[in-house]
Amino acid sequence: TKISPFLFPGPVSSIDSLSIIHLKRDLQIPTILKEHDEDDEGYAEGKVVNTRFGSFPHTTLIGLSWGSQVRASKVDTGSRGRRVKGQEKKRKREESESVEPSKEPKLDNDEAAGDASTPATTKEESEAVAASSGFIHLLPPTPENWTSSLPHRTQVVYTPDYSYILHRIRARPGANIIEAGAGSGSFTHASARAVFSGYPNNGEANGSAPRKGKVWSFEFHEQRHEKLEKELQDHGLEGIVQVTHRDVCEDGFLVDGRSPGADAVFLDLPAPWLALPHLSRSRPTKEACLNVTADESIPFISPLNPSTPVHICTFSPCIEQVQRTISVMRHLGWVDIEMVELSQKRFEIRRERIGIDNGAQRGVQGTPATVEEAYARLVEVEGTFKAFHETGEKVGSSRRDKANPNNRDKIMESLTERKVYKEGRLVHRTEPEIKAHTSYLVFAILPREWSEEDERKAREKWEVKI
Ligand code: SAM
């Protein structure tokens, strides 16, 4: 079986394996590297990845150490998306194979496009220069970079949310997790890594049989189900994730009539309360599950692990969904029910620059507007800086007097020419909105059932101990 690059990426990129072509922090292209030019639906087309930073033939990306920086091919691989055919294509492939990972790393693609050394005269020439001096970094796939680059078919659960959820539902190697609906598979990939128990059979060393963790995923939308199944095969995760095409509210969570033995459950559904009755230990009463009725002639088999408490999380954007979910949870015996809202903010932190407000700094609180104000502020900062480094003390405005008055004219002149600035206080601004789909998370635990047999075994253990 194929070993998933998400779990064991190895030291270098390889043929037929998923790689992440990283252009910028917020721009990554997942690509299965192919030696031959063939249609590769859902990924960057064929054998050349064309980007606004240039073209990258797959042959130049195979067998590279992860993290390598690769310069764009100098060859014109055709305008974006067009294939180069026949003899011309062969010649260009030979040329492009001489492209090597860059030896002079640069930090940002925009910076690289801006400093192209060859003078360009026409617009087309400048574009060509910018494209050929662009580069990418080649990264191994991880659930995190897959989440930020995957083809969106639905809203997805983002990394900060799934990290917290997986922690709270105690996802760990060997665990069985039920997930519905699978959607675009963002949560699926993260949970697959969490339950994976390692090669070779982890757990044998301590004498116990290895317990293989698995994600039991359900999706009722046919195309989404098909696409996810194909993706999981491409990613070598089909042994860890089993996706079933199913309406879980109607038909529950058994797979081929058998229980997944789930230790944990994650529901990202519009009506999670309709799925909850299927997640009981024994057949729930009709009253317990509001309007859900099950066919009572069919024997009830619980999809849960009978010998452990089961942890659940539901993910809902509206408080009304939360209320209905919690109400059904209470009826069905779930305990420790808690709702959490994750809210994310990005803080932009920088130092105040002291000079005259020349537009670039506008909006930073306290930026001086006149030369006189700027000078006073400079003297204050200078004094604070000196005192701190000479004595280790912070000083207030009294220190202003001690700044060297001989420099005044020079500084004033420089400020008038809008040259001088100094680093001032640390200031921060909060971005009001960042790209994250916030929802309410409901967590709860369903205790295990305690039978006479359990009690007998527990007593035996206890009696042996004392
Ligand atoms: N958690 C997913 C991710 O991280 O990519 C996104 C899930 S998406 C928001 C919700 C999915 O639930 C949709 O794909 C929808 O088709 C599926 N769905 C809704 N009701 C369902 C049901 N009763 N049974 C199975 N799947 C369902």
Side-chain angles (χ1 to χ4, degrees):
T1 41
K2 185 172 170 178
I3 294 180
S4 174
F6 280 87
L7 306 170
F8 289 97
V12 296
S13 58
S14 53
I15 297 174
D16 291 336
S17 196
L18 181 69
S19 298
I20 303 292
I21 296 187
H22 175 107
L23 290 109
K24 302 208 291 180
R25 229 177 111 99
D26 56 355
L27 187 56
Q28 306 179 356
I29 304 174
T31 305
I32 292 190
L33 297 177
K34 298 274 180 194
E35 209 171 18
H36 305 291
D37 194 355
E38 60 191 50
D39 275 334
D40 191 5
E41 213 190 319
Y43 296 98
E45 32 107 50
K47 196 182 152 293
V48 177
V49 183
N50 289 304
T51 76
R52 57 181 273 226
F53 299 121
S55 297
F56 299 88
H58 285 205
T59 46
T60 65
L61 304 175
I62 295 167
L64 295 187
S65 300
W66 294 121
S68 292
Q69 191 187 63
V70 186
R71 283 274 169 92
S73 166
K74 297 224 163 31
V75 174
D76 173 14
T77 49
S79 62
R80 316 265 182 269
R82 192 158 25 91
R83 303 275 168 79
V84 185
K85 301 236 159 92
Q87 284 301 311
E88 179 67 354
K89 183 172 146 192
K90 194 164 166 245
R91 184 182 65 73
K92 285 177 178 176
R93 181 186 300 151
E94 281 160 12
E95 277 183 61
S96 70
E97 271 159 13
S98 65
V99 175
E100 282 175 10
S102 160
K103 293 195 179 66
E104 307 148 50
K106 284 188 177 157
L107 293 177
D108 190 272
N109 252 314
D110 289 332
E111 174 199 331
D115 80 34
S117 52
T118 322
T121 46
T122 66
K123 188 166 169 267
E124 290 70 30
E125 275 173 12
S126 338
E127 276 178 3
V129 169
S132 67
S133 61
F135 56 83
I136 54 103
H137 285 97
L138 194 66
L139 302 182
T142 62
E144 290 73 26
N145 60 27
W146 177 247
T147 293
S148 46
S149 61
L150 57 76
H152 275 226
R153 303 181 277 268
T154 58
Q155 288 267 31
V156 304
V157 180
Y158 286 99
T159 299
D161 293 292
Y162 64 58
S163 309
Y164 183 71
I165 296 167
L166 287 166
H167 160 72
R168 288 279 316 250
I169 64 173
R170 303 194 181 182
R172 54 183 185 271
N176 280 292
I177 296 186
I178 282 178
E179 174 211 27
S184 307
S186 167
F187 185 86
T188 319
H189 282 73
S191 51
R193 178 182 59 186
V195 304
F196 180 65
S197 45
Y199 293 116
N201 295 340
N202 196 18
E204 270 181 350
N206 60 19
S208 57
R211 202 176 157 231
K212 278 195 143 187
K214 196 159 176 172
V215 178
W216 304 83
S217 189
F218 297 86
E219 173 56 58
F220 78 172
H221 188 283
E222 200 174 345
Q223 282 89 37
R224 282 180 210 149
H225 166 260
E226 268 173 26
K227 287 218 158 120
L228 183 59
E229 205 165 44
K230 161 93 170 57
E231 253 166 28
L232 292 165
Q233 270 167 18
D234 288 348
H235 300 173
L237 290 171
E238 71 271 35
I240 299 169
V241 184
Q242 180 153 350
V243 208
T244 304
H245 181 220
R246 166 87 53 83
D247 178 342
V248 293
C249 298
E250 282 291 316
D251 300 317
F253 298 90
L254 301 183
V255 177
D256 300 328
R258 290 211 301 268
S259 168
D263 306 289
V265 179
F266 175 62
L267 300 180
D268 185 359
L269 299 168
W273 59 91
L274 297 179
L276 284 175
H278 301 287
L279 294 165
S280 297
R281 300 236 180 247
S282 50
R283 190 191 300 282
T285 60
K286 279 183 191 164
E287 300 75 50
C289 34
L290 305 182
N291 53 357
V292 179
T293 51
D295 183 347
E296 295 194 1
S297 64
I298 304 169
F300 183 88
I301 301 174
S302 172
L304 308 178
N305 181 348
S307 54
T308 182
V310 170
H311 292 251
I312 195 170
C313 173
T314 68
F315 186 95
S316 307
C318 307
I319 200 74
E320 290 77 10
Q321 290 166 303
V322 169
Q323 284 165 336
R324 294 188 81 164
T325 304
I326 291 180
S327 172
V328 174
M329 278 179 171
R330 282 195 292 251
H331 277 92
L332 291 172
W334 293 84
V335 296
D336 281 358
I337 303 172
E338 186 190 13
M339 191 199 79
V340 173
E341 186 187 4
L342 293 188
S343 116
Q344 298 166 55
K345 283 206 189 303
R346 182 175 290 151
F347 290 92
E348 190 200 328
I349 299 171
R350 56 180 158 140
R351 276 206 186 271
E352 178 191 18
R353 301 176 95 206
I354 303 174
I356 308 174
D357 182 354
N358 58 10
Q361 305 147 45
R362 205 158 283 148
V364 176
Q365 202 194 356
T367 304
T370 65
V371 176
E372 285 296 335
E373 266 177 50
Y375 178 74
R377 187 88 186 92
L378 259 177
V379 171
E380 185 185 339
V381 169
E382 187 90 323
T384 311
F385 183 81
K386 270 193 186 159
F388 182 76
H389 286 279
E390 283 163 15
T391 67
E393 282 171 23
K394 280 193 164 185
V395 291
S397 53
S398 61
R399 192 79 193 189
R400 279 181 203 182
D401 308 338
K402 298 189 181 162
N404 183 356
N406 299 336
N407 286 336
R408 187 176 194 282
D409 292 347
K410 254 198 195 155
I411 295 174
M412 290 293 270
E413 194 186 314
S414 191
L415 277 170
T416 312
E417 287 170 14
R418 297 179 183 277
K419 273 190 199 149
V420 166
Y421 76 85
K422 274 249 181 258
E423 300 289 305
R425 293 170 303 168
L426 265 184
V427 288
H428 79 265
R429 274 194 296 179
T430 316
E431 276 184 24
E433 287 293 326
I434 70 163
K435 191 182 154 203
H437 170 234
T438 51
S439 271
Y440 300 111
L441 305 175
V442 176
F443 293 97
I445 301 171
L446 190 63
R448 60 165 296 184
E449 279 184 343
W450 197 249
S451 63
E452 282 303 315
E453 180 64 6
D454 293 323
E455 182 61 21
R456 193 186 55 75
K457 281 188 192 158
R459 274 168 184 266
E460 269 174 20
K461 263 195 197 163
W462 181 66
E463 277 157 16
V464 168
K465 265 191 192 152
I466 52 169

